[in-house]
Amino acid sequence: MQASKLKVICTLCSMLLFMHGSAQIVITGETAFHKASYGAEFGTLEVTNIPDNGGLITCFVQNQGTGADSVVNIKASRNGVYDTGFYCSWWPLQMGAAGSSDAITSVQIKGLNAPFREGDTVLIEVSTSGGYTASQTFINRTPVLRIGNILPSQDMRTLFVYLRNDGSSPVNVTGVTLNQSVYTPQVSPQLSTAGSTANYTVSAGDILILKLNFATALAELSPLALRVAYTDSLSNAHWVSTFQRLVKAHYFTGTWNSSLFNNDKEEGRKLVRQLGITSVFGPGNFGLMQNALDEYYMQTVHEANFDSAGTFGASAGASYVATRANEDALHYWSVDDEPDLNGKDVKQEIAKNMAYWKNDSNTPSYVNLAAQKKYQRYGFFTDVVSMDHYSDDGPPNVIPFPWWYTSEGSVREAIEYTAQLKLNTEPKRLTSWCQLTANTWGVDHQAEDFIINFQFWSHVSSGAKGIHYFLATPETKPDYPVQWEEALYSTRQLSAVKNLCMYGECWQGVKVNSGNVIANGLVSENALMITVLNNSIDYTVNNVFNHDWIPTIQPVDFQLEVTVPDWIPLQQFYEVLSTGKMSIGNIINTGSRTYQISGTINTKSQVFVIGSNDNAAPEQVTRINVPDKISPNNFTLSWSEPFDNFGVRGYYIKADNDIIDTVFAPIWESAGKVNACQAGYWSVIPFDDAGNTGQPGVLTIDWSGVGSGTPVLYQQPQSTIVNAGNTAVFSIADSAVTGVAYTWQVDTGNGVWANLANSAYYSGVFTSSLTVFGTQHNTGYKFRCAVTVGCGQLVMFSDSALLTVIGSVGINEKSRNDFRIFPNPANESIIVSVSDVNLHTAIIVCDVNGRPCLSADIKREKTVIDVSALGSGVYFVRLYQDGLFSNVVKLIKL
């Protein structure tokens, strides 16, 4: 092609033009090049007919005139040759007058037919609606200092900028320019770094966290034209630059399952909320999602219909976006799913993105990608980028792949794909998909739990700021029980450190001595989180043509060498489990800030935290609601997930002033644990792994109008005889009417009936079936059930039933009041205090349903008992002396 000046028609030529008088423009000097990269170290390099290892150019057009102006066209040449293959995007569409905060437009240029490469000489020419032009000649050089991430604080008043030195020698940050404002280290009070001492030197391979503080909150999706100036070891000046829109910091889990918001999916919504699901992908019924938002707080990643009569219709799509703009149920606007895999026209994809940007000022745009070699091609124009990667049941796990029987992949690709996506699109917000259930490539998927675990933590530890399960549905749970339990384990483990992951940047300061172990670090302002992954997963072929491979995993010993960044306090060292934190079993300080951690890893990834003490309580629970009110014995509470600086471990549920349950996701089902008629109000209290508790979210429930009809009892409780130490069960059955509530009562022999409560003695108190722990203390007691409809008048009492206990296991009244436990609530251990140990003394710890969980002998007046293996929740500690039941204390385990 002859080197003639051919005008490049960029993707945004259909935008509105703003004509506002005379103006002058310049292209500022901070133009930067972001080289593309791709790799397939562990699998097959994607086959593609459009190879692209070029890069992205970002430049900044500044208005120096007295009136507003707008960019209307970009031309670019590479080494003197103009081409029509350059795609470009710019924002904001209009530049304000000189001196205003919005007098700058950021331009991003991506070359496709002739990709921009390292060392190219590029000429950029900009034209505006005011009739002005500006040009700049620029040589593509990849900065050694990279902007890895940009994250706002929760109050939007602090901007964290994560810088990474990819070079071989230190560099010094000399200034930061954000839009039109310049901040100078040691001079500008708004600029600081993580740690007590401001240090703007970034060692080779190290991380620097800059903090920009503002008096007023930044607006969501406000444009960020960010330029960081630095000098190398020879004092040569450089800069690294980027343009992003400010996306709120929120780490979520999602699923592809749009049917969850159909009207017949009530139980399914409760089920997936146990996984902490907050985002639902897929077309679905948006109206239903909007209506159900206050019930379950699951938003949608929604894709507008841009097709008109089978062709691309930008105007129709823009009109649709405008009608849905700013709705609370929108999490992200989806531009497309796998456009890179399907070879979608990039210009049309950018035009879709612009329809979102121009018509909805509050909802970020999102694209889901698949092919490594096209990450930058399709990932530079949205606010958030994501990728598919499935934990296939055998090699290869590559996406896409040529033929699974001719190519071998590896689960390690979960790390590689996330790393490549980050390198090609940073500092954009990054999320990823993790296979859970459903088939893969048309073959029924039965991935082992350890593969799902590996993939989940590979994405998290490689920088993903959100995980989407493909897919979590109530229909598939019965068919994939092992996989579902793994998802529960992983998400509960993640919850306790979710915001260490949100505000953590990938950091390579961890060395490991085993080739079968992978260790990744995420470093934030206050902590270093280390994830250890078992890389011994291997496959044995059974039938390659049927895609039948058998995965296996072996226990692996490992030893880590960890050097903690100098700004992180060395105050606590612990391992994160799904049930709570635990001290690191084998850690040695080998000098200064270097530690050695040893252990054995099997099927579960291990997560360690080194950092500051956590003295901050979770935020208050908000938007607590009752999604359904079946009866006072059967209802659901749901609420919005609060923020915690480390992560929320779980929630205490209180009826009036009594803690009655603990849950680990923002939903609670009463399931016969209470009679709501007996409580005036309800509270949900968040807690973290350090035992900090947030302020409660409080709710009163109106039961008027709930329940109708009069039940008929056709089965009465029967008197029973049991041996001491066994349990007795009393049941009733009634005709089905709505809103029936049950409360069992006891007459201890004085003719007075008293309501029971679930305890170490009784369970099922608020159901149609009562279980009684059989001791001589209970012999001669009578039990009956009070039946009501709603919280109205009592409908009826059942017949009474007599319990007779035979045997010697009774209650020791002698020491009934000499039993204490502290601390309570407890974390890793409790002290059991008894006044008399001359008798044989023992404890049994039971859960709220009366099931034994732990037992121990008590040989001293004060005995330390390890309860770290217990999950967070409510327990009852039973005391026995000489085999006789003596007393019980409620224990709250953090």
Side-chain angles (χ1 to χ4, degrees):
M1 175 178 175
Q2 186 179 358
S4 60
K5 291 191 174 183
L6 299 179
K7 185 177 180 181
V8 178
I9 307 299
C10 292
T11 61
L12 303 184
C13 290
S14 61
M15 67 179 64
L16 296 177
L17 304 184
F18 298 89
M19 304 288 291
H20 292 285
S22 61
Q24 295 176 351
I25 62 168
V26 296
I27 301 176
T28 67
E30 301 95 347
T31 300
F33 178 67
H34 185 165
K35 184 175 70 173
S37 62
Y38 59 83
E41 180 181 353
F42 305 125
T44 302
L45 192 66
E46 295 90 341
V47 176
T48 175
N49 58 358
I50 311 178
D52 180 8
N53 63 346
L56 178 71
I57 294 175
T58 301
C59 66
F60 306 93
V61 181
Q62 188 175 46
N63 185 6
Q64 295 185 331
T66 58
D69 206 346
S70 57
V71 173
V72 294
N73 193 39
I74 306 290
K75 293 195 297 183
S77 70
R78 182 181 69 88
N79 298 327
V81 178
Y82 286 81
D83 198 350
T84 58
F86 298 112
Y87 292 163
C88 49
S89 175
W90 58 85
W91 193 262
L93 300 183
Q94 182 181 18
M95 295 178 287
S100 63
S101 60
D102 60 350
I104 191 167
T105 284
S106 301
V107 177
Q108 294 182 299
I109 309 172
K110 174 67 178 170
L112 298 183
N113 293 350
F116 292 120
R117 303 182 191 279
E118 190 83 11
D120 285 348
T121 298
V122 178
L123 174 63
I124 303 169
E125 299 179 53
V126 178
S127 302
T128 71
S129 61
Y132 293 93
T133 61
S135 64
Q136 182 186 81
T137 299
F138 169 72
I139 298 177
N140 291 339
R141 292 192 178 95
T142 303
V144 298
L145 190 66
R146 298 286 290 266
I147 302 174
N149 234 313
I150 303 172
L151 288 165
S153 60
Q154 294 297 299
D155 63 4
M156 303 292 280
R157 292 187 177 184
T158 300
L159 194 65
F160 296 91
V161 180
Y162 299 79
L163 302 176
R164 181 184 69 253
N165 184 352
D166 285 348
S168 58
S169 58
V171 300
N172 294 291
V173 174
T174 58
V176 178
T177 303
L178 181 64
N179 298 332
Q180 295 288 81
S181 300
V182 179
Y183 305 92
T184 305
Q186 314 294 353
V187 175
S188 302
Q190 300 96 328
L191 180 65
S192 60
T193 64
S196 57
T197 303
N199 181 7
Y200 294 89
T201 299
V202 194
S203 301
D206 211 345
I207 295 291
L208 176 67
I209 303 177
L210 295 179
K211 297 170 62 179
L212 283 167
N213 298 292
F214 305 95
T216 58
L218 297 169
E220 183 177 11
L221 300 184
S222 57
L224 303 178
L226 180 68
R227 294 92 86 196
V228 178
Y230 66 96
T231 57
D232 58 24
S233 58
L234 300 177
S235 298
N236 296 315
H238 308 274
W239 52 83
V240 58
S241 307
T242 187
F243 167 73
Q244 307 297 325
R245 300 200 308 169
L246 184 60
V247 179
K248 286 184 177 180
H250 170 58
Y251 203 112
F252 65 88
T253 51
T255 181
W256 178 279
N257 187 16
S258 57
S259 65
L260 276 174
F261 278 90
N262 293 338
N263 287 324
D264 61 346
K265 297 294 183 178
E266 182 78 12
E267 293 306 311
R269 290 191 280 272
K270 297 177 188 177
L271 185 67
V272 299
R273 284 296 275 163
Q274 302 298 330
L275 286 177
I277 297 296
T278 56
S279 289
V280 179
F281 289 72
N285 187 315
F286 186 88
L288 287 175
M289 296 191 72
Q290 183 73 23
N291 294 338
L293 178 65
D294 285 338
E295 295 181 356
Y296 295 103
Y297 309 108
M298 289 187 284
Q299 296 173 291
T300 177
V301 178
H302 189 59
E303 183 176 350
N305 183 7
F306 285 94
D307 292 330
S308 176
T311 59
F312 176 68
S315 60
S319 176
Y320 178 87
V321 172
T323 63
R324 293 293 187 189
N326 307 323
E327 292 190 2
D328 290 339
L330 279 173
H331 193 151
Y332 297 147
W333 278 113
S334 178
V335 170
D336 213 334
D337 182 49
E338 299 179 342
D340 53 336
L341 186 63
N342 299 310
K344 296 288 187 69
D345 184 273
V346 178
K347 291 197 302 182
Q348 292 188 3
E349 298 299 299
I350 297 175
K352 291 180 183 180
N353 184 74
M354 289 306 301
Y356 297 140
W357 282 22
K358 289 192 291 184
N359 293 283
D360 188 341
S361 59
N362 290 323
T363 308
S365 62
Y366 165 97
V367 66
N368 188 58
L369 304 177
Q372 286 182 21
K373 295 182 73 173
K374 302 178 185 178
Y375 280 171
Q376 196 184 65
R377 176 188 302 251
Y378 289 86
F380 76 89
F381 47 84
T382 59
D383 296 311
V384 180
V385 292
S386 183
M387 70 164 190
D388 283 341
H389 189 271
Y390 302 141
S391 54
D392 202 6
D393 58 345
N397 296 311
V398 286
I399 295 178
F401 59 92
W403 302 102
W404 63 62
Y405 51 85
T406 60
S407 302
E408 183 172 333
S410 168
V411 293
R412 292 174 295 177
E413 291 169 10
I415 293 176
E416 179 190 347
Y417 272 53
T418 309
Q420 291 302 320
L421 178 61
K422 178 171 171 52
L423 283 174
N424 277 290
T425 61
E426 62 186 2
K428 289 186 179 296
R429 191 69 49 83
L430 165 64
T431 66
S432 189
W433 287 84
C434 177
Q435 185 77 7
L436 179 62
T437 64
N439 66 60
T440 306
W441 315 126
V443 179
D444 188 36
H445 174 80
Q446 288 285 353
E448 298 292 338
D449 56 336
F450 53 80
I451 299 178
I452 296 171
N453 176 278
F454 184 99
Q455 186 190 22
F456 181 94
W457 282 104
S458 291
H459 295 320
V460 172
S461 64
S462 298
K465 305 303 182 185
I467 299 293
H468 327 305
Y469 283 119
F470 189 80
L471 47 90
T473 70
E475 293 86 356
T476 57
K477 182 183 179 184
D479 297 327
Y480 300 88
V482 174
Q483 290 82 353
W484 197 275
E485 285 302 312
E486 179 52 50
L488 282 171
Y489 180 94
S490 296
T491 50
R492 288 181 180 179
Q493 195 177 15
L494 172 68
S495 294
V497 289
K498 183 178 288 187
N499 288 300
L500 292 185
C501 298
M502 182 74 239
Y503 287 98
E505 178 63 10
C506 298
W507 178 77
Q508 302 302 316
V510 181
K511 298 178 182 178
V512 62
N513 71 339
S514 171
N516 280 330
V517 171
I518 299 171
N520 288 340
L522 287 175
V523 63
S524 57
E525 183 179 17
N526 297 312
L528 166 63
M529 194 187 87
I530 305 151
T531 302
V532 184
L533 302 158
N534 189 340
N535 192 39
S536 72
I537 299 172
D538 201 1
Y539 296 101
T540 302
V541 62
N542 188 28
N543 187 322
V544 71
F545 292 98
N546 290 336
H547 211 231
D548 187 6
W549 303 74
I550 301 173
T552 57
I553 190 170
Q554 303 296 325
V556 179
D557 295 333
F558 66 87
Q559 188 177 89
L560 307 180
E561 181 182 299
V562 181
T563 302
V564 184
D566 56 10
W567 68 82
I568 293 178
L570 302 174
Q571 295 175 342
Q572 61 171 337
F573 304 77
Y574 65 90
E575 182 177 358
V576 183
L577 306 176
S578 68
T579 54
K581 72 176 185 178
M582 179 178 70
S583 297
I584 300 175
N586 191 352
I587 183 169
I588 301 172
N589 181 222
T590 58
S592 185
R593 301 178 67 84
T594 302
Y595 293 84
Q596 184 183 92
I597 300 175
S598 302
T600 301
I601 187 170
N602 198 357
T603 59
K604 302 294 187 187
S605 301
Q606 297 183 20
V607 179
F608 302 103
V609 173
I610 300 174
S612 63
N613 290 326
D614 182 7
N615 299 316
E619 292 183 349
Q620 183 177 19
V621 165
T622 59
R623 300 175 73 175
I624 183 172
N625 192 24
V626 188
D628 61 340
K629 293 187 287 187
I630 299 172
S631 79
N633 290 151
N634 187 2
F635 60 97
T636 303
L637 299 181
S638 182
W639 54 91
S640 180
E641 182 181 23
F643 175 81
D644 180 76
N645 60 332
F646 278 59
V648 175
R649 165 61 68 183
Y651 308 87
Y652 298 127
I653 310 299
K654 289 180 69 175
D656 292 337
N657 292 316
D658 188 30
I659 295 178
I660 60 172
D661 208 354
T662 303
V663 292
F664 305 99
I667 189 168
W668 177 71
E669 295 183 77
S670 67
K673 299 170 185 174
V674 71
N675 185 339
C677 302
Q678 299 174 6
Y681 63 92
W682 300 86
S683 304
V684 178
I685 304 171
F687 64 90
D688 60 23
D689 250 346
N692 302 304
T693 56
Q695 292 298 309
V698 181
L699 176 75
T700 58
I701 303 176
D702 180 8
W703 289 100
S704 62
V706 175
S708 62
T710 302
V712 176
L713 291 181
Y714 58 84
Q715 177 183 317
Q716 297 286 349
Q718 301 297 308
S719 297
T720 187
I721 301 172
V722 297
N723 291 321
N726 292 338
T727 57
V729 178
F730 301 98
S731 298
I732 65 169
D734 59 86
S735 59
V737 298
T738 62
V740 175
Y742 309 98
T743 302
W744 286 88
Q745 298 179 327
V746 64
D747 175 3
T748 61
N750 58 6
V752 177
W753 289 95
N755 291 337
L756 291 173
N758 288 320
S759 67
Y761 307 110
Y762 309 108
S763 63
V765 165
F766 304 109
T767 70
S768 59
S769 183
L770 172 70
T771 300
V772 180
F773 177 67
T775 69
Q776 286 180 342
H777 176 65
N778 292 328
T779 193
Y781 283 13
K782 295 179 181 179
F783 299 91
R784 73 179 185 185
C785 187
V787 182
T788 62
V789 174
C791 286
Q793 295 296 316
L794 175 73
V795 176
M796 64 186 69
F797 290 112
S798 71
D799 294 345
S800 64
L802 176 68
L803 173 62
T804 302
V805 181
I806 301 173
S808 60
V809 177
I811 183 165
N812 188 334
E813 298 289 352
K814 177 175 179 291
S815 63
R816 188 169 176 80
N817 297 314
D818 298 331
F819 175 39
R820 293 188 302 120
I821 290 176
F822 57 92
N824 193 2
N827 196 336
E828 295 188 359
S829 63
I830 58 174
I831 297 175
V832 175
S833 174
V834 294
S835 59
D836 185 0
V837 291
N838 291 319
L839 303 175
H840 177 263
T841 304
I843 62 166
I844 297 178
V845 181
C846 303
D847 63 18
V848 291
N849 294 314
R851 295 183 295 253
C853 301
L854 181 153
S855 62
D857 287 336
I858 307 299
K859 297 181 179 180
R860 293 177 294 276
E861 291 184 358
K862 292 184 178 180
T863 304
V864 178
I865 304 297
D866 182 6
V867 294
S868 60
L870 298 177
S872 300
V874 178
Y875 296 87
F876 296 98
V877 184
R878 294 173 174 164
L879 179 70
Y880 294 84
Q881 293 192 296
D882 277 356
L884 299 180
F885 178 74
S886 174
N887 209 339
V888 63
V889 171
K890 179 189 287 187
L891 169 67
I892 307 297
K893 171 64 169 59
L894 299 176

